[in-house]
Amino acid sequence: MEGLNYAVTDVGYGSDGGEDYWIIKNSWGAQWGDPPIKIARNVGNVCGIATTPSYPIAESVPQMKTKDSLDRFGDDLLEVLLSYLPLEDRYRCEYVSKQWQRLIYETLYSITIDDKLIEKMMETNIFGREYCESYKLIQIMRKCVNIETIHCRGFADNKNVIHMFEAIQGLADNCLLPKRFHYKFTQTDASYDHMRPLFEMLRTVITGISGNISQCKPYLKYCPKLSQLKAGKLSDVFSGNESVVKNLNKFEFNFRGFVYNHELFAAFVAKNQSLKSLV
Amino acid sequence: MNGEYSLDTTEGMAASGDPPTNNAVDDYDAEEALERQREEENKIKIKLKSFEGGVYECGLTAAKMSVMVANMLDALQETDLTKIATREPIPLQNDAVTNKALEKIVEWVDHHWDDPPIDPDFDDEKERRNEELSHWDKQFIDIADQGELFDIIAAANFMDIKGLVEVGAKHICNKIKGKSCTEVREMLKIHNDFTPEEEAAIHKENEWIYAKD
């Protein structure tokens, strides 16, 4: 139960005219209500009394948990501590202990997939490359059960796009499709044809696109959650006189060589009234 | 959730060149007033009692950085805040709140009492998480005795002081970074409950980590 930090000692329970109650003793001292007070028992879960009890356990084995051992921390606190670890250290420390293994990926909410990451995996495999890379990537990503955002930086190698696609497909097969997906195209990027299946699968979660977007223009209007866009020129988001994007809240484009076209601009603003930032 | 990337409305207004509305001015005044009130309240000193019985004095606003203490003070329903100072010390009933730990915690909240509150929904949350510790915090948390360090973190967690838990977490993570599993276990005195076979299996799964950059 979250937000509980008030401890009382439950000294008993009783019944009074059909009403059940807990008898609790407050541990804060006289000014916070001693003698023991009664709390109605059947009125929901007052103060988490029924769901979050703690009780001492008499252990026959000698206590292993010394003061200077991190084992003294419970799951809640350890999870907070581990949430500050970078991605690679989480994978490296997975087998420190079972408690770590259970908690270390819980707070991993975003991951960046780029050439570097995929190449790293390539080096380690000794068997058939094609198969192994995607398999490894899927295995790595499957551990991050709470993944929310995937960032992708442009891939120099078309094959890497396919590997990434397969990895995300693997996630989707495990019902772990992220909520947000940001894709950054680069100059050397794979052609849009390679990206097509990815866009088709992820269109409902794509929230940000940047780089040379002209090649994916026809698809932009099928991305209902797209809220951040970085384009080369304003005309990149226009098909004829119609803006293909709407409800953006951040839009960046290159002002260099920008010819102000009132009609285009007005049409763009009209469709993107939620815009909060224009650069 | 659109909170993550949305921008501060005041910034949006500045960008579009609109004059600030009266609402914005009111908000600003209210903020100013709140700051002054916090400053005044911090002049009131309250007493906190450790698990070992030691009593430490602390500014009221600073003490309220502990959500737990703030809740206890609320429970008193005392409208005259100056009376809180004369009350018996607030007992902190957790064995991690030793004298040494409470002394350090009071030092920390007294230094940080005017920090902006941590709002997990705010856009800057992610940035703040990735920020390095300040020089002051680094010196503060660099404690040789690991038992004492863990006491402070556990006590801060018990007292629900998010900022201080974060300082402790970042400090420990800095120490973990780049170390092997065995080194981490040794350093933090963690009991290994895996069999060598299980360990080897996980190591193999995560082999990619050890590839050269």
Side-chain angles (χ1 to χ4, degrees):
Chain A
M1 187 153 189
E2 246 172 81
L4 269 192
N5 52 27
Y6 181 98
V8 292
T9 314
D10 189 1
V11 290
Y13 56 90
S15 189
D16 188 5
E19 301 264 330
D20 289 342
Y21 55 83
W22 301 97
I23 301 169
I24 57 171
K25 210 177 98 194
N26 198 318
S27 60
W28 291 349
Q31 55 183 337
W32 280 279
D34 251 348
I37 46 170
K38 293 173 182 178
I39 283 192
R41 190 176 164 191
N42 278 345
V43 191
N45 176 19
V46 182
C47 308
I49 199 163
T51 53
T52 321
S54 54
Y55 42 87
I57 300 168
E59 293 212 18
S60 51
V61 284
Q63 270 283 0
M64 296 286 292
K65 295 168 190 171
T66 51
K67 258 173 102 75
D68 60 350
S69 157
L70 201 78
D71 286 337
R72 64 185 276 195
F73 290 163
D75 282 6
D76 288 357
L77 182 51
L78 187 64
E79 190 178 300
V80 174
L81 291 192
L82 296 179
S83 72
Y84 291 89
L85 271 186
L87 176 83
E88 291 200 5
D89 289 289
R90 296 194 200 220
Y91 283 95
R92 187 181 297 126
C93 293
E94 181 183 334
Y95 59 91
V96 162
S97 75
K98 287 186 175 157
Q99 190 189 18
W100 280 50
Q101 185 186 37
R102 194 166 64 235
L103 303 170
I104 205 156
Y105 300 113
E106 285 288 309
T107 48
L108 197 66
Y109 299 119
S110 82
I111 189 170
T112 302
I113 304 178
D114 54 11
D115 281 334
K116 215 175 124 198
L117 186 75
I118 292 181
E119 250 131 58
K120 248 188 143 170
M121 284 157 213
M122 267 165 80
E123 267 191 58
T124 58
N125 84 70
I126 22 172
F127 310 109
R129 286 196 155 184
E130 299 296 306
Y131 167 73
C132 232
E133 287 155 41
S134 303
Y135 166 74
K136 278 263 168 195
L137 197 52
I138 294 170
Q139 197 176 39
I140 283 163
M141 295 190 54
R142 259 176 34 192
K143 295 189 175 185
C144 320
V145 289
N146 291 322
I147 202 85
E148 284 184 353
T149 313
I150 294 181
H151 293 269
C152 280
R153 296 218 195 94
F155 297 103
D157 189 342
N158 285 355
K159 255 159 68 187
N160 287 352
V161 176
I162 298 166
H163 294 315
M164 176 195 59
F165 172 65
E166 280 169 8
I168 292 174
Q169 181 91 60
L171 276 187
D173 292 344
N174 287 287
C175 300
L176 292 173
L177 204 61
K179 285 187 199 136
R180 284 181 289 267
F181 184 79
H182 285 242
Y183 193 85
K184 187 179 174 191
F185 287 92
T186 55
Q187 288 296 334
T188 52
D189 214 336
S191 76
Y192 179 65
D193 286 340
H194 283 90
M195 299 292 302
R196 226 172 131 139
L198 185 72
F199 266 64
E200 278 168 5
M201 179 174 75
L202 290 175
R203 62 174 197 86
T204 53
V205 291
I206 290 176
T207 46
I209 298 176
S210 61
N212 182 12
I213 64 157
S214 52
Q215 37 188 342
C216 63
K217 189 155 96 177
Y219 269 84
L220 291 182
K221 64 175 163 188
Y222 299 115
C223 301
K225 281 195 185 162
L226 186 64
S227 64
Q228 281 185 54
L229 192 61
K230 198 172 166 183
K233 34 192 199 302
L234 187 60
S235 59
D236 280 348
V237 295
F238 275 88
S239 151
N241 273 335
E242 207 182 333
S243 165
V244 291
V245 287
K246 54 185 179 184
N247 301 326
L248 292 185
N249 54 45
K250 190 173 180 184
F251 182 62
E252 287 179 44
F253 66 99
N254 199 344
F255 276 96
R256 198 176 294 160
F258 173 59
V259 184
Y260 183 70
N261 178 328
H262 184 75
E263 253 175 59
L264 278 194
F265 200 69
F268 176 77
V269 173
K271 273 214 166 179
N272 294 282
Q273 306 222 353
S274 51
L275 207 60
K276 285 177 181 163
S277 165
L278 188 65
V279 187
Chain B
M1 199 172 83
N2 68 351
E4 197 176 348
Y5 289 105
S6 65
L7 288 168
D8 194 302
T9 39
T10 49
E11 205 176 297
M13 267 186 275
S16 58
D18 285 336
T21 59
N22 278 337
N23 266 343
V25 174
D26 285 347
D27 282 350
Y28 186 71
D29 278 355
E31 236 171 72
E32 278 267 272
L34 196 70
E35 238 167 71
R36 268 198 303 275
Q37 191 199 338
R38 281 163 58 91
E39 216 175 307
E40 281 307 306
E41 278 186 19
N42 205 41
K43 287 176 187 156
I44 301 170
K45 301 290 173 205
I46 67 162
K47 294 184 206 87
L48 303 173
K49 192 163 105 188
S50 84
F51 190 70
E52 297 171 324
V55 175
Y56 298 86
E57 249 191 15
C58 176
L60 180 60
T61 313
K64 278 186 176 173
M65 289 185 90
S66 155
V67 176
M68 185 211 175
V69 169
N71 285 346
M72 287 174 82
L73 291 172
D74 275 351
L76 286 174
Q77 294 186 312
E78 181 67 78
T79 43
D80 184 0
L81 290 174
T82 50
K83 276 192 186 157
I84 288 178
T86 59
R87 279 184 177 265
E88 63 176 86
I90 295 177
L92 301 164
Q93 303 276 13
N94 181 293
D95 60 1
V97 194
T98 58
N99 284 344
K100 269 188 182 164
L102 187 55
E103 194 184 337
K104 285 289 269 183
I105 287 174
V106 167
E107 184 191 336
W108 192 87
V109 292
D110 266 340
H111 183 83
H112 282 277
W113 68 270
D114 56 352
D115 282 2
I118 293 180
D119 179 358
D121 295 331
F122 196 58
D123 326 328
D124 293 350
E125 155 82 2
K126 220 162 122 195
E127 264 170 53
R128 207 206 59 249
R129 284 185 68 93
N130 294 330
E131 242 172 49
E132 266 216 41
L133 291 178
S134 70
H135 183 66
W136 192 93
D137 280 335
K138 263 189 190 157
Q139 284 200 320
F140 170 87
I141 203 71
D142 191 16
I143 297 159
D145 182 339
Q146 195 159 275
E148 200 186 317
L149 171 69
F150 291 168
D151 272 343
I152 292 170
I153 297 172
N157 184 54
F158 166 74
M159 290 169 74
D160 203 352
I161 309 172
K162 292 201 175 58
L164 182 50
V165 173
E166 182 168 79
V167 170
K170 283 181 178 175
H171 177 66
I172 289 182
C173 284
N174 281 338
K175 296 213 282 187
I176 294 173
K177 275 178 209 163
K179 288 207 170 63
S180 75
C181 240
T182 329
E183 286 170 325
V184 170
R185 245 182 245 138
E186 238 164 66
M187 176 176 70
L188 302 173
K189 297 196 174 23
I190 294 163
H191 174 69
N192 178 14
D193 47 6
F194 282 113
T195 64
E197 292 77 32
E198 286 172 323
E199 224 177 280
I202 302 167
H203 186 88
K204 198 167 169 20
E205 272 171 28
N206 297 345
E207 223 172 9
W208 66 279
I209 291 294
Y210 308 97
K212 276 179 259 124
D213 280 317

